[in-house]
Amino acid sequence: MFISDTIAAVATGMQASGIGIIRISGPDAFAIACNIFRAGVNKRRLDKLISHHVYYGFIFDGEIMLDEILLVPFQAPKSYTAEDTVELNCHGGVLVMKRILQLLVKQGARIAEPGEFTKRAFLNGRIDLSEAESVMDVIESKNQLALDNSLKQLTGSLYEKIRELREEILNEIAFIEAALDDPEHISLEGYPEQILTRSEKILSELHRLTDSFNNGRILKEGIKTVILGRPNVGKSSLLNSLSGNEKAIVTEIPGTTRDIIEEHILLDGLSLIVYDTAGIRKATDPVEKIGVGRARDHAMQADLILFMIDSSVPLSDNDREIFSFIEGRKAIILLNKSDLPSVVSEEDISIHNKSSFPVISVSLMNGEGLKKLSGTIREMFFSGEIGFNDELMITNERHLSLLNRAVTSVEHVRSSAENGLPEDFLSIDLMDAYDLLGMIIGEKIEDDLVDMIFSRFCVGK
Amino acid sequence: MKFEEYYDIVVVGAGHAGCEAALACARLGLETIIFTVSVNSIALMPCNPNIGGTSKGHLVREVDALGGEMGKNIDKTFIQSRMLNQSKGPAVHSLRAQADKAEYSKAMRQTLENEEHLTVKQAEVCRLIIENGKAAGVEIFTGGIYHAKAVILCTGTYLRARCLCGEAITYTGPNGLMAANHLSDSLREAGIELTRFKTGTPARIDKRTIDFSKMEVQHGDIPVVPFSFSTDPESVQKEQIDCYLTYTNEKTHDIIRANIDRSPMYSGVIEGTGPRYCPSIEDKVVRFSDKDRHQLFVEPEGLSTNEMYISGASSSLPEDVQLAFYRTIPGLENCKIVRNAYAIEYDCINPKQLNPTLEFKAINMLFAAGQFNGSSGYEEAAAQGIIAGINAAMKVLGREMIVIDRSEGYIGVLIDDLVTKDNFEPYRMMTSRAEYRLLLRQDNADLRLSHFGHEAGLVSDEAYQRVLDKKENIENELYRLKNTFVGNREEVNELLLSLGSKPLHSGASLAELLARPELSYEALSPIDPNRPVLKKDVMEQVEIHIRYQGYIDRQQKQVDAFKKLEKKKIPASIDYDDVKSLRLEARQKLKQFRPVSIGQASRISGVSPADISVLLVYLK
């Protein structure tokens, strides 16, 4: 049972950082804050706090000073949780924040459970369930574009779309039910043909939403980018120059990278998950064989392939193999070692580059061409070449799975109509579709949802 | 000096609800007295002459599975019987029988009179006796006091009843019977909130003045399927009487439209709300103005009378208008009306004052059933009657009361709707109200509900064993069919081709074959030499299960989700004011209803899914 006690937690994540914010929420938040806070250079005790003011001062555990901080009180209901809330902007050391939290517990606060602040905001009527879920997405989304989409869901364009679809489905249900109840006045003649057309239409709209998930996922998780190329062409160096740290082992011995190395990279506001792979070649070393196989698997699922060619040596069989592999996929061809004299001509490339992928000369030695590379990726993304469009996108796994289940239900409706089953059978699956879509926008109760949403939160949110 | 008598249970009213309630109590061994304003009106059918029909037939079978009387009584007294909607899915097949009204009433009266522990008494109950917040008996108009441990109110349409036929108003119950004018005040004093509903009935016409040659004849089914699971099917194969179908036309509608201001419904004389789903002919003409005709069924009222019931043409228009519009109808050009159509208005309760057990929330040991609870229809009344009877008995005996939920029976849907949803008109059972109807078929009511009746003590061990045996036979046969394989032998494919079905290229189980819509269980017998000898009802279940397996499974999943929410109980101690983000309307509704589970809370009108989410989080 929910008890309105006072909770506290680090809101910025327990890690070393410049500053860390500790949030306190509940009826005793102000009193506790007054107890541990000394304001100004002369360290005055305060007996009351004015809402939405910033106080400079120090945290004291008895006589021991723990940190120099900024304190911001928010009086109920004008706070995130709609309760009295105090935020302490501390220095971000893990140890210091731990000690401050211990102090707060000593003062009667309780460490918040994951998602408890948002749960309180929800319980206090500040936000509704779909907003809570969007808050979750905002927290999880790793770049600006994804954030925009989460905000779009907060304001309800997904909500509107789903509502439209539900209404269409409801109309069908209502018609069938009305005809069951009043066959004298409402005739089902010709209805099977009608429902076939309508379920096709609903299916195509549902598919548009589920298809958008891929774009949504890209926004949220990043573009799955795989670097391919024969051994020692400089794949690991490319990863290192993109990410700015030496993660992959760069050596002169071909086949050094035996496993997949994964790196999250922010490139001009786009997030990329870059996979550095063992080169695709006929490996002899059994361990490397596995690596090569995995490289292939990854490349199959990639949103984008960066194919590196060493321009200082002639094209090898291995290069040609990769050319045929990337055909019909999304790729950028990188001519590496542009600092060395090139033996690969433009014609050599264009013969094999049947899908006319962009070709960029780069030198990882001096960083030449890297800017052009990021510009090209951005361009491909925004032109929609790497799945993206301006429409509403599904970014949430739960939404996707509900949509997929709704698709199955409508497909059942379609096949029932095709097989000439009596109309009352149609309403079973129509009802399922209606409910599944309702679960997305919180208009159908799904008892596990509430747990799911709030448990996904990290402590402090 | 007033005299006093002591009983276990008092039942007020001997209509379809009262009869089931009283029989249930008496059969459970409790000394029971049932009051009626006239012994001639026991189990009276003042409106339509049939039992069953779409979704109502389900109710009758469910009442029967619980150990009730309605199904047995109609099996004894029907004069025509049909299984409706046979062209549709099995969920909407529904049995309907034409009753010989007089015989129906007589047979039920005999059953009541011969029931051990049951006393029938003609008297008007005028006062409810309440002691310490508990119903403790009733007082009758002539002064007698009848103490009881529980009281069941089944007053039907009799409380402060008035009948309207155009401008003519009479203060009587149905069929000119005495109204009960005194009890309402006493109920109000006890804190019970009363409201007023209206319903109507069409004219009865002299058979000799009807030209049936202008109508379509409707025969009964051969063979007849009995209502009661305990009736021997052989015993109901008898000669049946025909019904007829005719239609209204534009002339009919013109007359009604021209005189609509003389209908008390439209002139504002009637304050009660009428049933949308059983509309009067004037309602139909107004609401479906684009239809140029409406169906009318002409049905006999019994073997010993010439009266014919004009189904679909109830009206409260004045006598002269009635005669005029009836005479525009093919076959009725020269008709003479024996009894006019009329509307009746009566006191009833807002059933939200009841728990799902049909006991009043505020008054212990007081139960209510039937039209008094704002429903309409004989079958709806009987269904509530048996539940109120069982539960009053259980409570008196100190045993657990029963609640059938929405996934278990139409009875559950009916009672749940009544006690949780806003209801502004007489509640009629309809197929669309049952969301899990593929599982709630009329053919499996015994399999679904007999255990309730058996546990209560109304279904004998012997009868219950028959149900268990049936279940086992069905399961065994399903198992056998799924595990018996036939190859693509010539004999098999010949049979399939002859039945218009695709031949097999490789082996298949009998179940797989039976899943094909064109193949029936019977038809497969030549290639299934080892099949056991099964009863028809077992074969029917097996066939339905195999044919609609996917749908049944998916509906079962819906039921599982439903049950999950039903099982999430809300503690009685909950303080809704403490749950701040509940919307005001939801908070008020929840405080007023005090639902027992999240499931029930979710069905209260005015409580949204968002409110339920709030509750779910709060109850974590």
Side-chain angles (χ1 to χ4, degrees):
Chain A
M1 183 80 62
F2 177 76
I3 306 157
S4 202
D5 55 0
T6 299
I7 53 173
V10 178
T12 41
M14 259 308 189
Q15 59 199 18
S17 55
I19 59 161
I21 297 174
I22 291 174
R23 192 182 261 163
I24 315 165
S25 178
D28 300 329
F30 280 24
I32 291 174
C34 288
N35 277 346
I36 61 169
F37 184 67
R38 304 285 176 271
V41 278
N42 41 18
K43 304 182 176 71
R44 275 179 302 118
R45 262 178 181 282
L46 298 179
D47 44 20
K48 76 171 209 241
L49 298 166
I50 302 167
S51 188
H52 295 77
H53 277 59
V54 180
Y55 293 87
Y56 165 78
F58 302 87
I59 297 283
F60 272 88
D61 182 1
E63 294 309 309
I64 307 156
M65 190 182 79
L66 295 183
D67 198 6
E68 179 189 20
I69 65 151
L70 292 177
L71 178 151
V72 191
F74 302 90
Q75 195 163 21
K78 288 184 176 175
S79 72
Y80 180 67
T81 55
E83 299 171 344
D84 282 348
T85 300
V86 176
E87 287 183 4
L88 311 176
N89 289 256
C90 319
H91 289 96
V94 173
L95 201 68
V96 173
M97 292 207 286
K98 258 192 184 158
R99 288 197 60 183
I100 296 174
L101 269 185
Q102 281 162 6
L103 173 62
L104 291 170
V105 170
K106 213 155 69 180
Q107 289 286 328
R110 172 171 63 77
I111 301 291
E113 285 162 29
E116 198 171 358
F117 288 99
T118 307
K119 185 166 160 181
R120 287 188 173 199
F122 170 71
L123 274 178
N124 290 324
R126 260 269 291 132
I127 58 170
D128 69 26
L129 208 57
S130 61
E131 285 175 316
E133 195 173 20
S134 288
V135 168
M136 190 59 229
D137 282 347
V138 171
I139 293 166
E140 280 190 348
S141 66
K142 292 194 174 62
N143 65 30
Q144 190 55 43
L145 284 170
L147 191 64
D148 287 349
N149 199 55
S150 297
L151 292 174
K152 216 187 251 179
Q153 289 189 12
L154 267 170
T155 55
S157 45
L158 174 65
Y159 182 83
E160 279 309 316
K161 184 72 220 164
I162 299 284
R163 251 179 60 157
E164 249 169 57
L165 283 169
R166 285 189 93 211
E167 201 161 307
E168 279 174 48
I169 294 171
L170 189 63
N171 279 338
E172 302 306 321
I173 297 172
F175 184 77
I176 293 171
E177 305 283 303
L180 280 181
D181 285 336
D182 190 1
E184 188 200 335
H185 295 105
I186 300 163
S187 162
L188 283 168
E189 232 177 80
Y191 184 70
E193 292 79 45
Q194 241 180 65
I195 188 72
L196 274 179
T197 340
R198 291 193 187 149
S199 51
E200 286 300 347
K201 180 179 169 269
I202 293 170
L203 275 175
S204 79
E205 305 218 16
L206 287 173
H207 279 306
R208 265 177 58 194
L209 285 174
T210 52
D211 289 348
S212 79
F213 179 74
N214 232 11
N215 295 325
R217 175 188 57 74
I218 285 175
L219 279 189
K220 215 169 129 180
E221 293 174 4
I223 301 169
K224 256 193 182 172
T225 310
V226 170
I227 309 174
L228 289 183
R230 71 171 121 120
N232 206 27
V233 72
K235 300 187 296 291
S236 302
S237 310
L238 175 66
L239 176 66
N240 291 343
S241 10
L242 288 174
S243 66
N245 66 49
E246 299 267 320
K247 190 167 190 173
I249 317 147
V250 184
T251 62
E252 293 296 319
I253 311 155
T256 320
T257 307
R258 284 175 170 173
D259 211 339
I260 309 288
I261 290 170
E262 179 188 327
E263 188 74 18
H264 288 254
I265 290 166
L266 204 64
L267 203 68
D268 284 357
L270 278 180
S271 61
L272 269 61
I273 321 169
V274 186
Y275 299 93
D276 178 18
T277 64
I280 293 188
R281 60 167 193 154
K282 289 188 180 73
T284 40
D285 177 351
V287 179
E288 202 186 342
K289 238 179 195 166
I290 297 169
V292 172
R294 284 209 203 148
R296 223 172 244 286
D297 292 347
H298 262 79
M300 303 270 265
Q301 291 161 21
D303 300 315
L304 175 67
I305 293 167
L306 301 179
F307 174 24
M308 288 193 84
I309 294 169
D310 185 342
S311 61
S312 63
V313 295
L315 290 182
S316 66
D317 281 355
N318 200 180
D319 288 327
R320 282 185 275 274
E321 218 175 278
I322 296 175
F323 263 121
S324 68
F325 176 80
I326 61 174
E327 217 170 282
R329 300 175 197 276
K330 305 286 176 216
I332 297 175
I333 294 163
L334 300 175
L335 296 178
N336 190 23
K337 308 197 179 167
S338 62
D339 48 318
L340 297 176
S342 174
V343 300
V344 179
S345 72
E346 264 180 49
E347 270 137 58
D348 291 340
I349 300 291
S350 63
I351 290 169
H352 293 100
N353 186 7
K354 291 184 181 127
S355 308
S356 308
F357 294 124
V359 181
I360 301 167
S361 287
V362 292
S363 166
L364 298 176
M365 293 300 287
N366 56 25
E368 188 197 310
L370 284 180
K371 242 204 146 75
K372 194 165 172 206
L373 172 61
S374 66
T376 307
I377 296 176
R378 263 184 81 87
E379 209 172 285
M380 287 175 86
F381 186 75
F382 287 107
S383 68
E385 233 180 291
I386 313 175
F388 178 83
N389 53 46
D390 207 21
E391 276 181 52
L392 179 69
M393 276 174 285
I394 299 292
T395 55
N396 180 300
E397 295 270 359
R398 187 180 73 87
H399 295 170
L400 178 70
S401 113
L402 289 166
L403 282 167
N404 279 332
R405 286 166 65 195
V407 166
T408 309
S409 295
V410 181
E411 283 169 352
H412 280 313
V413 173
R414 187 176 59 185
S415 72
S416 303
E418 280 167 355
N419 294 331
L421 274 127
E423 286 77 8
D424 52 298
F425 282 92
L426 302 181
S427 46
I428 295 176
D429 294 305
L430 283 169
M431 203 60 214
D432 270 344
Y434 181 73
D435 282 349
L436 288 163
L437 295 179
M439 286 174 194
I440 294 178
I441 56 173
E443 287 191 357
K444 165 79 187 174
I445 303 144
E446 192 191 12
D447 56 339
D448 306 329
L449 167 69
V450 171
D451 288 349
M452 241 162 62
I453 288 181
F454 291 104
S455 63
R456 271 169 70 206
F457 283 94
C458 24
V459 185
K461 293 295 180 315
Chain B
M1 180 72 182
K2 288 186 173 179
F3 72 92
E4 299 182 31
E5 279 185 21
Y6 291 84
Y7 286 87
D8 290 319
I9 303 224
V10 161
V11 179
V12 184
H16 306 281
C19 288
E20 296 292 349
L23 286 171
C25 293
R27 287 169 177 170
L28 291 170
L30 298 172
E31 283 310 316
T32 305
I33 183 166
I34 183 167
F35 290 96
T36 167
V37 289
S38 161
V39 286
N40 293 317
S41 68
I42 290 172
L44 182 74
M45 301 172 76
C47 193
N48 54 314
N50 30 55
I51 296 289
T54 313
S55 78
K56 290 167 175 256
H58 291 61
L59 286 174
V60 180
R61 290 215 141 174
E62 291 184 359
V63 168
D64 188 68
L66 291 172
E69 196 61 26
M70 183 172 250
K72 295 188 178 88
N73 206 55
I74 184 65
D75 283 344
K76 285 184 221 163
T77 57
F78 79 98
I79 51 177
Q80 191 207 66
S81 177
R82 295 174 66 201
M83 186 66 83
L84 306 180
N85 297 327
Q86 297 224 59
S87 63
K88 296 183 183 156
V92 292
H93 293 181
S94 232
L95 199 52
R96 187 183 64 190
Q98 299 300 131
D100 184 315
K101 284 183 169 186
E103 291 303 316
Y104 185 91
S105 181
K106 230 198 277 177
M108 187 64 89
R109 180 175 167 184
Q110 265 170 1
T111 304
L112 256 57
E113 286 176 346
N114 294 325
E115 189 66 47
E116 215 184 326
H117 308 296
L118 184 57
T119 305
V120 178
K121 174 85 185 164
Q122 176 168 309
E124 184 192 342
V125 169
C126 63
R127 190 168 72 87
L128 173 68
I129 299 168
I130 301 222
E131 282 162 11
N132 308 321
K134 268 189 187 171
V138 296
E139 183 178 339
I140 61 172
F141 190 64
T142 45
I145 287 182
Y146 295 81
H147 297 280
K149 295 170 187 155
V151 175
I152 308 174
L153 298 172
C154 309
T155 58
T157 61
Y158 286 80
L159 286 188
R160 293 205 310 126
R162 58 173 195 160
C163 291
L164 306 97
C165 179
E167 295 88 352
I169 298 175
T170 51
Y171 289 82
T172 65
N175 270 1
L177 285 157
M178 192 175 91
N181 288 318
H182 301 89
L183 187 59
S184 291
D185 289 339
S186 165
L187 296 179
R188 272 205 195 85
E189 266 170 50
I192 295 168
E193 185 197 320
L194 295 179
T195 175
R196 221 159 155 74
F197 273 176
K198 168 245 146 168
T199 185
T201 191
R204 312 299 194 275
I205 288 175
D206 187 334
K207 185 159 77 179
R208 296 169 305 173
T209 65
I210 300 177
D211 180 357
F212 292 111
S213 68
K214 293 184 176 166
M215 303 179 177
E216 289 168 38
V217 65
Q218 296 214 305
H219 304 297
D221 285 348
I222 299 172
V224 168
V225 178
F227 262 106
S228 173
F229 292 101
S230 63
T231 299
D232 173 11
E234 287 310 309
S235 72
V236 292
Q237 310 307 328
K238 61 181 184 188
E239 204 182 321
Q240 299 177 63
I241 304 299
D242 290 331
C243 294
Y244 299 88
L245 171 62
T246 184
Y247 296 91
T248 61
N249 52 52
E250 280 303 339
K251 259 197 245 161
T252 324
H253 302 175
D254 288 343
I255 293 176
I256 290 169
R257 274 190 218 106
N259 291 283
I260 199 85
D261 56 326
R262 293 178 66 199
S263 161
M265 269 306 279
Y266 286 85
S267 63
V269 174
I270 290 184
E271 359 161 339
T273 318
R276 237 185 322 159
Y277 304 106
C278 186
S280 62
I281 187 70
E282 45 267 38
D283 276 347
K284 287 194 229 181
V285 169
V286 171
R287 276 178 44 214
F288 300 101
S289 55
D290 57 322
K291 300 273 174 191
D292 51 14
R293 64 177 202 176
H294 298 281
Q295 287 177 343
L296 299 180
F297 290 97
V298 180
E299 305 169 342
E301 293 252 300
L303 298 180
S304 55
T305 169
N306 281 338
E307 281 184 276
M308 297 295 282
Y309 177 89
I310 314 298
S311 175
S314 84
S315 173
S316 55
L317 285 161
E319 201 170 2
D320 57 312
V321 184
Q322 285 185 27
L323 197 60
F325 85 70
Y326 281 127
R327 284 186 169 170
T328 62
I329 294 162
L332 299 181
E333 293 87 348
N334 301 305
C335 74
K336 285 186 179 169
I337 295 178
V338 182
R339 296 185 223 196
N340 286 320
Y342 65 90
I344 184 166
E345 207 185 48
Y346 51 94
D347 285 348
C348 57
I349 59 162
N350 175 347
K352 290 194 278 189
Q353 297 168 86
L354 302 173
N355 280 319
T357 54
L358 295 181
E359 186 180 15
F360 275 84
K361 288 177 182 169
I363 304 170
N364 251 318
M365 307 312 286
L366 182 64
F367 293 79
Q371 263 173 303
F372 177 68
N373 288 350
S375 63
S376 113
Y378 312 141
E379 302 81 358
E380 288 86 341
Q384 296 167 64
I386 193 160
I387 297 295
I390 290 174
N391 281 338
M394 291 300 111
K395 196 146 185 198
V396 166
L397 293 168
R399 291 171 52 194
E400 200 178 327
M401 295 194 275
I402 63 168
V403 173
I404 294 170
D405 77 30
R406 301 183 75 86
S407 69
E408 292 164 333
Y410 274 70
I411 294 183
V413 175
L414 164 72
I415 294 177
D416 187 63
D417 279 350
L418 283 172
V419 305
T420 47
K421 291 188 180 163
D422 278 329
N423 190 33
F424 301 107
E425 60 192 320
Y427 179 100
R428 180 178 165 185
M429 195 72 244
M430 287 185 298
T431 314
S432 67
R433 299 191 193 269
E435 47 279 72
Y436 312 119
R437 61 174 168 260
L438 184 57
L439 305 181
L440 306 185
R441 303 181 310 274
Q442 52 92 29
D443 58 69
N444 67 1
D446 53 341
L447 302 172
R448 290 186 277 118
L449 297 180
S450 292
H451 68 280
F452 283 106
H454 181 247
E455 259 162 56
L458 283 181
V459 172
S460 69
D461 290 344
E462 195 196 347
Y464 188 54
Q465 191 54 50
R466 277 200 300 272
V467 176
L468 294 179
D469 292 345
K470 179 173 168 185
K471 252 185 204 168
E472 202 185 315
N473 287 338
I474 295 165
E475 275 157 28
N476 289 344
E477 182 60 0
L478 284 172
Y479 180 83
R480 192 188 70 86
L481 290 171
K482 285 176 188 165
N483 292 285
T484 306
F485 294 87
V486 292
N488 49 344
R489 285 173 290 138
E490 207 171 304
E491 171 206 4
V492 172
N493 282 340
E494 253 170 44
L495 179 77
L496 292 178
L497 283 169
S498 75
L499 295 166
S501 195
K502 275 193 210 141
L504 287 176
H505 294 298
S506 56
S509 70
L510 285 170
E512 283 168 293
L513 287 181
L514 195 48
R516 300 184 176 182
E518 65 275 11
L519 300 177
S520 72
Y521 186 83
E522 294 268 28
L524 291 179
S525 78
I527 53 168
D528 183 16
N530 299 323
R531 65 168 50 172
V533 181
L534 293 175
K535 281 193 182 161
K536 218 175 149 228
D537 56 348
V538 173
M539 281 193 269
E540 185 186 16
Q541 292 304 311
V542 166
E543 220 168 42
I544 290 173
H545 264 271
I546 290 184
R547 185 144 301 161
Y548 305 114
Q549 185 80 55
Y551 297 91
I552 289 174
D553 291 349
R554 296 206 286 284
Q555 183 119 86
Q556 186 58 49
K557 279 200 185 122
Q558 295 175 341
V559 166
D560 295 344
F562 158 82
K563 290 259 189 196
K564 220 166 149 189
L565 288 181
E566 292 305 291
K567 278 191 197 129
K568 287 206 190 275
K569 298 294 174 202
I570 301 176
S573 60
I574 190 170
D575 179 1
Y576 288 105
D577 285 329
D578 198 34
V579 195
K580 296 198 187 59
S581 51
L582 282 176
R583 290 168 315 111
L584 186 65
E585 187 195 1
R587 190 194 316 264
Q588 282 168 346
K589 286 278 166 70
L590 289 165
K591 279 162 93 169
Q592 183 195 337
F593 277 94
R594 305 211 63 84
V596 292
S597 66
I598 290 285
Q600 201 195 5
S602 71
R603 292 189 295 276
I604 297 172
S605 359
V607 177
S608 72
D611 297 315
I612 295 299
S613 303
V614 170
L615 271 184
L616 280 169
V617 176
Y618 181 85
L619 291 173
K620 267 283 142 198

